[in-house]
Structures are given as structure tokens and as C-alpha cells.
Amino acid sequence: MSAIRGLRAAFVFLTRIPVGGFPYTEEDWRWSTAHFPFVGAVLGLLQATLAALLLPHLGAAATAILAVGLAMMLTGAFHEDGLADSADALGGAYDREKLFVILKDSRIGTFGAAALFVALGLRVVLLTELDVAMPLALLVSQTVARTPPIWLMRALPYVTADGESKSRLVARARSPQAIVATLWSLVLLVALVHHDAITLARAIALGLVLVAITLVVAWRVVVRAGGVTGDFLGATEQLAELGVLLVLVWR
């Protein structure tokens, strides 16, 4: 039952979409992580629909900005906030104690602002470059980019104090949740390859890039913080989105 209710909890945690279902148990929250890629697929489908409707009338650039804005509205810029906080902490802290102080600070500093500018700007540019393939790219990137954070949860300790963390229950994902999350992404990629929407070589490249991003982030956060936090997981999702779009644009 928790595995099923976890799907609903995943929407509660990742989005502003009102699905109700409270209260959720600890096991429901743990299983929510297994369905993060499915939530991404729903968000990507909504973005893709908007892009398909607007592309013929507004062109690629304006459509890309509006599609990115839609995702931020539906998620409350959840992952973008994690990216900004992570950039500020990793860029501005010289020791572990200061790093956690910065992570808890709600203000955005120079590193965070710069990271957001680069990430959002690059995402819009890459989507614009894809043009008519933009709807497909939105669906793929939103889905598969939510798998790497689950493996970080599985592999690394969660180092934010329980009493201070909004993600403490969700971040307890284990192997079953990581495997299910991976299967969601694999199902999408296999379906797209089967229908010739993307090539097998590009799908494999996507997988390799996601693994590389996961390993690099894991190394960095272990060295600097000793494990993961909710902000680091959000930043990982953002980096994974950019990695996917880069692979799709690569010629």
C-alpha cells in the first residue's frame, strides 16, 4: 500500500499540484522517491503540450522560456532553490560548519545567483536550439533527471540534522526505491528508442552522462559535507536536466 500511496506523496513533495491524501506515513514518504521520475514525466508532458501549442506561433525562444517558467510554477522552483543554495554553500564556505550555515540561509548570494543565471539561461538556449524537438526534450529531461538524486539518497548518508530538514523522511530511499525510479526512466527511453524518437546510441549516451553526473556530485558532496542534503539533491536534478539537454543537442 505504501508503494502505491508513495506515488501520490511524490506529487505532494515535488510539486504544487493539490493531490491531498494526508496524512502520509514514513513508509509512504520513503516510497515517494521511487516515483519521482513519473512525476517528472507528468511535468514534462505538460511542458511538452504547452511547447507544441506555442511553437508555431511564438517561435522557439519565447516558447522555451514559457515552458521553463511553467515547470518552475508547478514545482515552486523547488530544484532551482536547491541549486542556488548548493552553489552558495559550496562556493562560499571554507569549512564544513560554515557550509551548513549557508545552506540554511534563505538569502541568495553571488554564487547562487550566478548558478541560476547559467542554468536557466543554458536550459532556454538548448531548448531553443532543439526547436521542433523541444516537446520531446522536455519530456525526456524532466523524467530521467529525477533518477540520479535517488541513487545519491541510496548511496550516501543524509547529513542535515533531522529536526531541521524538510526532506528527512523522503531522503531515506533504499535499493527498492532506486530500482523502481530507474525503471520509470528506462521504460520511457526504451519506448522512445522503439518508436525511433531517439537513437539507441543517444539513449546510451544519456545514461552514461547521468551516471557521470551522479558520481561527480557524490564525490564533491562527500568531500565537502560528508553526504547529501536536500539542496544537494535538488542541484543534482538541475545538473542532470542540463546534461540530458546537452546530449540531445549534441551533433
Side-chain angles (χ1 to χ4, degrees):
M1 186 64 177
S2 289
I4 298 174
R5 279 183 54 78
L7 178 58
R8 199 171 180 180
F11 279 94
V12 171
F13 186 75
L14 291 179
T15 77
R16 299 292 179 89
I17 300 173
V19 297
F22 294 97
Y24 292 99
T25 66
E26 290 191 16
E27 193 66 11
D28 293 337
W29 289 119
R30 186 199 304 272
W31 269 104
S32 71
T33 58
H35 306 296
F36 280 8
F38 180 81
V39 175
V42 173
L43 294 172
L45 185 60
L46 292 173
Q47 286 182 283
T49 301
L50 179 69
L53 291 172
L54 296 183
L55 265 172
H57 307 289
L58 298 181
T63 298
I65 293 172
L66 291 172
V68 169
L70 175 63
M72 293 176 67
M73 180 184 72
L74 291 173
T75 64
F78 188 52
H79 301 302
E80 287 81 4
D81 178 69
L83 175 66
D85 288 345
S86 297
D88 278 331
L90 294 173
Y94 293 97
D95 56 57
R96 189 172 184 271
E97 182 179 354
K98 180 64 173 177
L99 183 146
F100 285 105
V101 171
I102 295 176
L103 282 176
K104 289 188 289 184
D105 192 336
S106 61
R107 295 169 296 180
I108 296 179
T110 301
F111 290 104
L116 281 177
F117 175 81
V118 172
L120 292 173
L122 182 57
R123 198 186 317 171
V124 168
V125 169
L126 292 173
L127 289 170
T128 301
E129 184 70 20
L130 286 161
D131 198 12
V132 295
M134 188 188 305
L136 176 64
L138 289 165
L139 174 61
V140 174
S141 62
Q142 288 289 328
T143 303
V144 303
R146 284 173 168 79
T147 300
I150 314 307
W151 282 103
L152 290 181
M153 294 179 198
R154 168 63 187 86
L156 302 178
Y158 191 68
V159 293
T160 301
D162 275 3
E164 302 171 355
S165 172
K166 297 177 182 178
S167 307
R168 63 188 184 279
L169 299 178
V170 172
R172 293 172 180 170
R174 295 296 178 260
S175 294
Q177 290 81 34
I179 291 170
V180 172
T182 303
L183 288 175
W184 278 121
S185 294
L186 284 176
V187 166
L188 175 64
L189 291 177
V190 169
L192 292 176
V193 170
H194 178 72
H195 289 92
D196 297 322
I198 62 174
T199 65
L200 177 60
R202 201 174 293 269
I204 293 173
L206 284 174
L208 293 175
V209 166
L210 291 175
V211 170
I213 289 171
T214 304
L215 293 174
V216 170
V217 171
W219 162 75
R220 189 60 178 162
V221 299
V222 167
V223 170
R224 294 299 309 277
V228 293
T229 69
D231 287 323
F232 293 158
L233 295 172
T236 302
E237 189 278 340
Q238 290 286 282
L239 293 174
E241 271 195 53
L242 292 174
V244 170
L245 292 177
L246 285 166
V247 171
L248 293 177
V249 169
W250 191 276
R251 294 182 177 87

